[in-house]
Amino acid sequence: MSTTAPHLDAPEAQTAPSAPPHAPQSRRPKPVARVVLHVVLALSALTMILPFAWMILTSLKTPADLAQFPPSFLPEDWAWSNYSEALQAAPFATYFRNSMIISVGHTVITVVFGAMAGYALARVQFRGRELIFLAFVAMLMIPTYTKIVPQFLIVKFMPLFGGNDIFGQGGSGWLDSWWALIVPGGLSPFAIFLFRQFYLSLPKELEEAARLDGAGELAIWARVYTPLIKPAIATVSLLTFQDSWNNFLWPLLVTTRDDLRVIQVGLAVFQQEGTTQWAYLMAGTTLATVPMVLLFLFAQRYFIQGFTNAGIK
Amino acid sequence: MRSRTTGALAALAVTAAVSLSACGGGGNAADGTTELKLLTPIFEGESGKQVLEEELLPQFEKENPGVTVSVDYTDYGSLNEKLTTSIASGLVPDVMMMGVGWIEGFADKGVLQGLGEFGIDYDELSDEVTAEVLDAGMWEDELYAVPIMLDTRIGIARKDLLAEAGFDEPPADWEEMREYAVALTERDGDKLQQAGLDVMTLDPRQMFEVLLFSNGGSLFNDDLSAPAFNSPEGVEALQYVVDLVREDRVEDIGYSSADVDTYPVVNGRAAMMIGHNDVWVKAQASNPKVAEQLVPFMVDGTEEAMFHGGTLVAMSARSQEKEAAAALLEFLTSAEASLAASEQRGNVPARTELLESDYVQSNPMVQFAMENLDKAHPEGGVPEWLEIRGDFAAAVEAALLGQKTPQEALDDLAADAQAAMDRS
């Protein structure tokens, strides 16, 4: 992982007069203010971490512990066996692998094509550009549920796949295949929007210099501008990965085979009509959260920069 | 490039507009075997899968050579979407399971196959399945689905806590239930320590239905043209529970909810409840001593009644292998499969002969439910039920919170239900 923060000055910052260097004493907040700041931050951190702690503690409780009222914070008997028992309730290894393939697939497609589309909307002049951008923004407002049936039909009637003829009749199209799992969720308007905002904030001089050196549009995108927007790539990757990892309904609808199902489907085993096996559900959820936590720790610095820089110009 | 894309999109639009060719899930495979597709919201997880795919289905396939079954598992929460998308695309599973109250809507849309022509008929089955339970599979005098397992909502009391308050038996009727509930409520200052009657650990709709049915009310009128839950019987039923909560304060709003891990009667936070028959299995897991103290009773306003939900098996009207699908439906609703499914979830088998089974005899709640299935009422009745049912909780809660009178809450709900019924 790179340790140097990318140069990300917005054009306004470029033209703004540089601020005088701060005096050392004004750089450091006053002791009292610092204590208050730390207390506030510690409380916020505690509020954030508490649900996670509760999830992990619940995952280690026996039925007798769970039945206690008022609920005990720490388990009386640490039931580590909840984890092995939860893992036996469904073929989690297969589900985990599938979730991984889908999430990585979505992330790669989104980063590559989202960055290209964002770049085109930000830096390539063509007629109707603003209109297309507005259409992408409008797409952000379409609720997922309204898209499910039309999207399902498109997948089912995909011509020349799964026994379908050229008119998409006669077979099952992409249903029950990796195509249905990876292609429909592969690109989101939000990612394109975020990339566009980043590309907009970069100085035009870089592009001009690259053109003088004879670089083509693809080279400018790939070698000049994209390396400068690592925070956007980290942000989009993380959000896309998380969305795919947590997706439950779509993978369930387009597959009928257990070997194509995902981890969230496995977790649903513990949550049936009228009854929830909390200890197992929390054990499974804890394990399902691990990749997300690792990914966040890995991309944390860029991710935070991504959000602080994603303001609309 | 652009014209090719446009062409492809146009082709897709045309395709989607073309009326769907009838293609069921099953069909003849190249090697002459018949493959049936089964969609199930039960038999979940590895344990359920093992029961279904290693114990039950091999037996079916042995009895029906040349027929194989491929199973698609879903959860109840996504079953409606799963069915809707498969119907929209024409890939309906040959055999599918769904809940009580679902049959009317899917049968009305022509998705389900009437079972009469396959020799599965109401009169014949009523010797083996309680009539009240079979009714859940009927639509317009035709049987479309047969139950595999049931779940009931009944009165449940803690013998030990009742004895402490000087009651030997569970309450016999509404009046006694209220009297007991008041006597059994314990507060420390204003803080509720023990609810006299817990009505919150249950979906508000189902809780209301238990009281509605026990007061002689019904959800819809006889010809299913209008809602009837806002009848005087319905209003009285909701008023009864509103009085329990708001006047007698036998339980506080928010004291419990339908997704708690442990029922309040199990950990001593309530003396009685209107609840699910799985309470006994849950108590066995967390505190077997308490399980021994649990005693079921019928809620009785003007008549003894309980609510029953459950899972029914139906087949697709579009199946290309209807004979085989009917055979699978019969197999899945046989005593053996019904028992296996019920055991896996701690529920109530649908076949009366199973009352004598070891499983039922070893679970007092399930045994009680089975002995009283003739007093069980299903929910549903109209094709729009799945749309209407979602509004019940808010109406019941509005009355419990005092935002509306029971009459207003039920009238508003009935107006919405009527609008939904008129729309289709």
Side-chain angles (χ1 to χ4, degrees), chain B residues 293-353:
Chain B
Q293 299 297 335
L294 294 172
V295 53
F297 65 91
M298 291 301 286
V299 178
D300 182 356
T302 57
E303 60 183 75
E304 290 190 333
M306 61 183 176
F307 159 82
H308 86 79
T311 302
L312 302 114
V313 189
M315 58 187 271
S316 163
R318 289 184 167 185
S319 173
Q320 294 174 321
E321 301 292 344
K322 287 187 182 169
E323 291 291 342
L328 179 59
L329 186 149
E330 284 201 89
F331 175 81
L332 287 171
T333 54
S334 66
E336 190 184 356
S338 178
L339 181 64
S342 304
E343 256 185 297
Q344 203 233 330
R345 293 181 73 130
N347 263 334
V348 182
R351 297 255 163 181
T352 39
E353 69 188 82

Side-chain angles (χ1 to χ4, degrees), chain A residues 117-137:
Chain A
Y119 175 82
L121 288 171
R123 311 210 70 95
V124 181
Q125 293 292 344
F126 60 92
R127 195 182 301 201
R129 188 173 76 159
E130 295 309 310
L131 208 63
I132 289 176
F133 175 63
L134 282 175
F136 276 123
V137 174

Side-chain angles (χ1 to χ4, degrees), chain A residues 63 66-67 69 88-91 145 152-153 156-157 167 175 248 252-253 255-256 258 261 272-273 275 278, chain B residues 15 20 44-46 49 71-74 76 78 81-82 85 88-89 91 259 261-262 267 269 282 286 345:
Chain A
L66 283 166
F69 195 86
Q88 283 163 11
Y145 268 85
F152 186 90
L153 293 179
K156 195 262 172 187
F157 294 119
F167 297 108
L175 294 177
F248 165 74
L252 184 73
L253 292 179
T255 59
T256 60
D258 217 25
R261 296 249 155 116
Q272 287 299 329
E273 192 82 343
T275 179
W278 286 107
Chain B
T15 307
L20 300 167
E44 70 279 358
E46 285 291 83
K49 195 176 174 181
V71 189
D72 181 4
Y73 297 89
T74 180
Y76 251 114
S78 311
E81 286 92 343
K82 191 87 185 164
T85 47
S89 68
L91 285 173
D259 59 358
D261 182 71
T262 306
N267 58 11
R269 297 177 65 230
K282 288 193 162 199
S286 58
R345 293 181 73 130

